[in-house]
Amino acid sequence: MSNPRYVLRSAVFVAVFLAGFLITPSIPVFPAAPLVVGAIWLTAQAGHGLRRFDVIMLATAAAVGATFQGAGLFLSLTIAVWAVLPSLLFAVLLDRLLPGYWRGHGDRFRRPGAALLRLAGIAFLTAAAGTVIWAVIDTGSEGLPPPVPFGRDLVMLFLVPLAVNTLRRLRSPRRAGLTVVR
């Protein structure tokens, strides 16, 4: 990927992430929650080999969003950890347990039920990690009950990769299962 294209994609990511970061506290079921946006960003960028830059960008965007909401330095860094760890967990698990799933590759050799079960497990672990880390960070404040963000993140982290895989498989040319040449 060229540098201008990477910069443009990164700027769009930061804008969407900050919008989700600022809107989600007022609209709890907003689908572009920061955890979901960060996880999808790291997953989409996995094929370009710039994961360390993407993690730094995600942490910086989370710290800036927390600063916009009035957090101090240490709370901003703690919120950056909350944004990065579950997102990185999602990207790494999806890459290890379902290699090529995001791009629509390897589906001919996987049973669809097994892939969906693995995707559901990955989404569950990521949403649970995000909820646990947030519960540790946000002690003592009157916020949402933990099942609301957990459910929102679980559903979105399951549906977005499934939709991307389906769209990529529909756009790919159809090949015959086996061809015999004599």
Side-chain angles (χ1 to χ4, degrees):
M1 176 184 319
S2 65
N3 284 339
R5 187 172 176 190
Y6 180 74
V7 168
L8 181 64
R9 286 177 73 167
S10 301
V12 170
F13 156 71
V14 169
V16 171
F17 183 82
L18 287 176
F21 199 90
L22 297 174
I23 292 172
T24 302
S26 60
I27 304 172
V29 291
F30 187 64
L35 178 66
V36 174
V37 173
I40 298 304
W41 168 253
L42 290 180
T43 303
Q45 290 294 101
H48 302 293
L50 299 171
R51 181 164 283 166
R52 64 181 177 271
F53 296 129
D54 297 327
V55 167
I56 292 168
M57 189 177 320
L58 176 59
T60 305
V64 167
T67 305
F68 282 163
Q69 290 183 342
L73 176 64
F74 292 121
L75 184 58
S76 295
L77 294 176
T78 307
I79 290 175
V81 168
W82 163 78
V84 169
L85 286 182
S87 301
L88 190 60
L89 177 72
F90 181 80
V92 168
L93 284 178
L94 193 64
D95 192 36
R96 300 284 185 217
L97 297 178
L98 291 171
Y101 187 79
W102 179 258
R103 293 183 190 92
H105 298 210
D107 291 333
R108 293 172 51 192
F109 306 108
R110 286 189 196 106
R111 291 190 332 262
L116 289 179
L117 187 62
R118 284 183 180 177
L119 181 60
I122 293 167
F124 178 81
L125 284 174
T126 303
T131 303
V132 166
I133 293 172
W134 186 255
V136 169
I137 292 171
D138 196 33
T139 58
S141 70
E142 300 292 325
L144 289 172
V148 174
F150 173 76
R152 174 199 61 215
D153 295 342
L154 176 67
V155 168
M156 292 307 297
L157 287 172
F158 179 76
L159 290 179
V160 171
L162 182 66
V164 168
N165 182 339
T166 303
L167 286 174
R168 289 192 180 195
R169 279 188 303 139
L170 289 175
R171 286 192 302 171
S172 69
R174 298 280 178 211
R175 288 178 247 143
L178 180 64
T179 305
V180 177
V181 179
R182 294 182 187 199

